[in-house]
């Protein structure tokens, strides 16, 4: 949605362009549970005329390239491990301010905490629950760990690095950035934004501003964009807000859609194309067990918008700026580059981490951290087709303490 707020916003959040600055060959990432060296291949600068010529491409999900038989088989094996979208990670500077914003203002529940004092960071996990469904959990307890690593929902992971290096985390939405925003749904965007403003929240865009009325972008304490989106009339959610979306930009839907749909078991629930603005959106969801798949055509605007607007769990919004798939040098920044760190990764629960990693590699994917590597064995980080970090964690954790690592 935020690609269409105004021409200024559209340019600010990254049109189909490959111009950005090299950030060095190697850097260190402090992510959820590991540090690793990752190679950065800075994209070269494509000519403006070349970008305009490429920008007419529209890719329907039904036009996704055919997978090789080996990749299709590997993705089928991966999907049998019941992957479920479990987390989105953002780095934060001040836990007190961020926890207050997401719990007291946005109505989330602080469900769990991990303190890794020896490695100098803490993790805070928050989740949206509807009225009457909030569990009684003490963050840091065994019960909290059990809930966290077996939830059928999706949590927001806030990572705090204890040492204040003076680094200002990058909120994304500058040229070349991949991560865009998270979002919350509500019944009345105007009324909810009025209450947010009364609580001191500032805005990138208020609901009555710009060409797209009725949606807004607020700032969280670290400057991340938080989209405020209306629910559909099919929604039965009673809570004022529910975490509803993580948006990432992708280079090529023909590669990204099979990874998340065929491999990670997500369902394509909405697909929107805007050829006049040169971008498309693909919304994918992990449907809870027993939920029948949608019967509507994902390109049916009204039916798909109504379906997505009634979901309680977040969707993954993949935004494709047309033409990037034809530029061999184009690459989005994934949020872990030096000077651009902010968003860190998304994460999935699976039944078996080793088998999931084997299937990802068999499909031609790469691993940033293998299950047997690092201090925390038993969890892994894969790279999706755009190089975004995807954490792979065992459903239920390990042992009686329900830890995500052995």
């Amino acid at each position: 949605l935020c690609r269409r707020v105004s021409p200024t916003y559209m340019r600010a959040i990254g049109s189909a362009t490959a111009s950005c600055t090299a950030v060095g060959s190697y850097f260190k990432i402090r992510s959820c549970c590991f540090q690793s060296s990752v190679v950065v291949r800075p994209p070269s600068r494509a000519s403006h005329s070349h970008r305009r010529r490429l920008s007419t491409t529209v890719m329907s999900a039904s036009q996704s390239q055919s997978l090789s038989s080996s990749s299709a088989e590997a993705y089928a094996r991966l999907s049998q491990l019941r992957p479920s979208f479990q987390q989105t990670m953002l780095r934060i500077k001040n836990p007190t301010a961020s926890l207050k914003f997401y719990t007291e203002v946005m109505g989330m529940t602080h469900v769990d905490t991990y303190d890794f004092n020896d490695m100098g960071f803490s993790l805070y996990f928050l989740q949206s629950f509807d009225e009457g469904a909030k569990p009684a959990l003490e963050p840091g307890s065994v019960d909290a760990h059990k809930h966290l690593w077996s939830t059928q929902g999706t949590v927001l992971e806030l990572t705090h690095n204890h040492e204040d290096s003076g680094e200002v985390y990058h909120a994304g939405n500058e040229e070349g950035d991949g991560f865009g925003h998270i979002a919350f749904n509500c019944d009345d965007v105007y009324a909810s934004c009025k209450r947010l403003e009364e609580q001191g929240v500032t805005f990138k865009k208020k609901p009555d501003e710009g060409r797209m009325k009725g949606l807004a972008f607020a700032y969280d304490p670290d400057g991340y964009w938080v989209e405020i989106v209306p629910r559909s009339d099919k929604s039965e959610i009673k809570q004022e807000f529910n975490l509803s979306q993580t948006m990432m930009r992708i280079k090529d839907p023909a590669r990204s859609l099979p990874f998340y749909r065929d491999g990670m078991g997500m369902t394509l629930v909405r697909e929107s194309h805007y050829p006049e603005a040169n971008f498309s959106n693909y919304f994918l969801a992990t449907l809870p067990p027993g939920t029948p798949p949608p019967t509507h055509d994902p390109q049916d605007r009204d039916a798909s918008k109504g379906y997505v607007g009634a979901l309680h769990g977040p969707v993954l919004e993949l935004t494709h700026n047309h033409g990037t798939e034809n530029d061999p040098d184009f690459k989005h920044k994934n949020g872990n580059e030096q000077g651009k760190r902010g968003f860190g990764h998304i994460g999935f629960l699976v039944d078996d981490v080793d088998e999931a990693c084997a299937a990802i590699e068999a499909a031609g994917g790469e691993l940033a951290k293998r299950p047997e590597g690092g201090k925390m064995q038993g969890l892994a980080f894969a790279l999706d087709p755009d190089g975004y970090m995807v954490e792979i964690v065992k459903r239920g954790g390990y042992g009686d303490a329900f830890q995500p690592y052995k």
Side-chain angles (χ1 to χ4, degrees):
L1 292 173
C2 67
R3 276 65 50 202
R4 295 170 283 137
V5 172
S6 73
T8 301
Y9 290 151
M10 286 170 61
R11 180 168 182 79
I13 60 177
S15 59
T17 174
S19 58
C20 66
T21 304
V23 294
S25 298
Y26 292 89
F27 61 91
K28 293 287 185 180
I29 295 173
R30 174 172 289 143
S31 188
C32 174
C33 303
F34 80 105
Q35 289 186 316
S36 67
S37 296
V38 179
V39 178
V40 178
R41 298 178 180 87
S44 64
R45 186 180 298 270
S47 71
H48 179 68
S49 60
H50 180 57
R51 293 197 300 273
R52 287 197 303 173
R53 184 171 69 253
L54 294 177
S55 65
T56 57
T57 304
V58 177
M59 176 69 72
S60 167
S62 62
Q63 296 173 310
S64 296
Q65 65 187 18
S66 298
L67 295 173
S68 66
S69 58
S70 60
S71 293
E73 189 276 333
Y75 278 155
R77 284 195 287 123
L78 178 57
S79 68
Q80 291 301 308
L81 300 171
R82 301 189 301 145
S84 61
F85 181 30
Q86 188 259 351
Q87 66 175 250
T88 293
M89 188 276 263
L90 302 175
R91 298 177 177 91
I92 61 170
K93 293 290 286 186
N94 184 338
T96 301
S98 294
L99 288 173
K100 180 177 180 179
F101 174 81
Y102 284 107
T103 58
E104 296 182 16
V105 178
M106 303 310 299
M108 302 188 81
T109 298
H110 179 191
V111 295
D112 205 2
T113 296
Y114 279 85
D115 291 310
F116 298 101
N117 294 322
D118 58 330
M119 289 184 280
F121 68 98
S122 296
L123 309 176
Y124 304 91
F125 296 91
L126 301 102
Q127 190 168 1
S128 293
F129 296 100
D130 205 4
E131 290 183 5
K134 178 179 176 181
L137 297 171
E138 179 64 31
S141 67
V142 171
D143 285 344
H145 299 340
K146 181 179 180 180
H147 167 84
L148 178 62
W149 305 117
S150 60
T151 182
Q152 295 179 5
T154 305
V155 300
L156 183 64
E157 175 190 347
L158 303 179
T159 294
H160 174 237
N161 291 308
H162 299 167
E163 181 181 354
D164 185 1
S165 63
E167 178 180 11
V168 176
Y169 292 131
H170 183 60
N173 298 309
E174 292 182 358
E175 198 162 304
D177 288 336
F179 172 71
H181 60 262
I182 59 173
F184 287 79
N185 283 3
C186 64
D187 289 332
D188 186 328
V189 172
Y190 289 89
S192 290
C193 285
K194 184 175 185 293
R195 285 191 288 273
L196 292 178
E197 193 169 17
E198 290 170 352
Q199 295 179 80
V201 175
T202 58
F203 288 82
K204 174 70 176 179
K205 176 199 174 301
K206 294 181 181 180
D208 57 351
E209 295 175 341
R211 291 185 299 171
M212 295 301 296
K213 309 297 184 184
L215 61 85
F217 284 88
Y219 290 119
D220 89 341
D222 287 274
Y224 295 111
W225 291 20
V226 178
E227 188 175 18
I228 309 299
V229 187
R231 296 188 181 112
S232 73
D233 56 10
K234 296 180 180 179
S235 173
E236 298 179 353
I237 301 171
K238 304 302 181 184
Q239 193 78 3
E240 181 174 13
F241 294 109
N242 62 287
L243 181 66
S244 62
Q245 183 185 118
T246 294
M247 190 277 265
M248 305 188 304
R249 300 175 182 89
I250 59 172
K251 175 178 178 175
D252 188 355
R255 299 184 64 222
S256 297
L257 288 176
F259 177 82
Y260 286 106
R261 180 191 58 205
D262 305 335
M264 304 310 293
M266 304 189 83
T267 300
L268 182 68
V269 292
R270 185 182 176 192
E271 178 180 343
S272 302
H273 302 285
Y274 306 95
E276 72 285 353
N278 293 322
F279 74 93
S280 297
N281 290 332
Y282 305 88
F283 298 83
L284 299 103
T286 295
L287 300 180
T291 302
T295 57
H296 65 266
D297 180 346
Q299 294 191 64
D300 183 325
R301 176 178 172 83
D302 292 337
S304 63
K305 188 175 181 180
Y307 184 89
V308 172
L311 291 175
H312 189 276
V315 296
L316 185 62
E317 178 189 356
L318 302 180
T319 294
H320 172 229
N321 289 306
H322 301 164
T324 53
E325 71 280 5
N326 297 321
D327 185 344
D329 296 320
F330 184 85
K331 184 177 178 64
H332 288 112
K333 294 182 176 68
N334 71 6
N336 293 301
E337 298 86 351
Q338 195 66 37
K340 291 285 187 176
R341 299 196 317 158
F343 165 78
H345 62 262
I346 59 175
F348 285 75
L349 299 178
V350 297
D351 289 339
D352 189 300
V353 174
D354 291 306
E355 289 189 19
C357 290
I360 289 171
E361 289 188 303
E366 299 180 53
L367 298 179
K369 177 198 176 295
R370 308 186 70 83
E372 68 275 14
K375 293 184 178 180
M376 297 184 178
Q377 298 185 5
L379 59 82
F381 280 82
L383 298 176
D384 85 346
D386 283 273
Y388 294 114
M389 293 281 188
V390 179
E391 187 174 20
I392 310 295
V393 182
K394 182 180 180 296
R395 179 175 287 102
Y398 296 98
D400 294 337
F402 305 99
Q403 297 289 7
Y405 49 84
K406 297 179 181 178

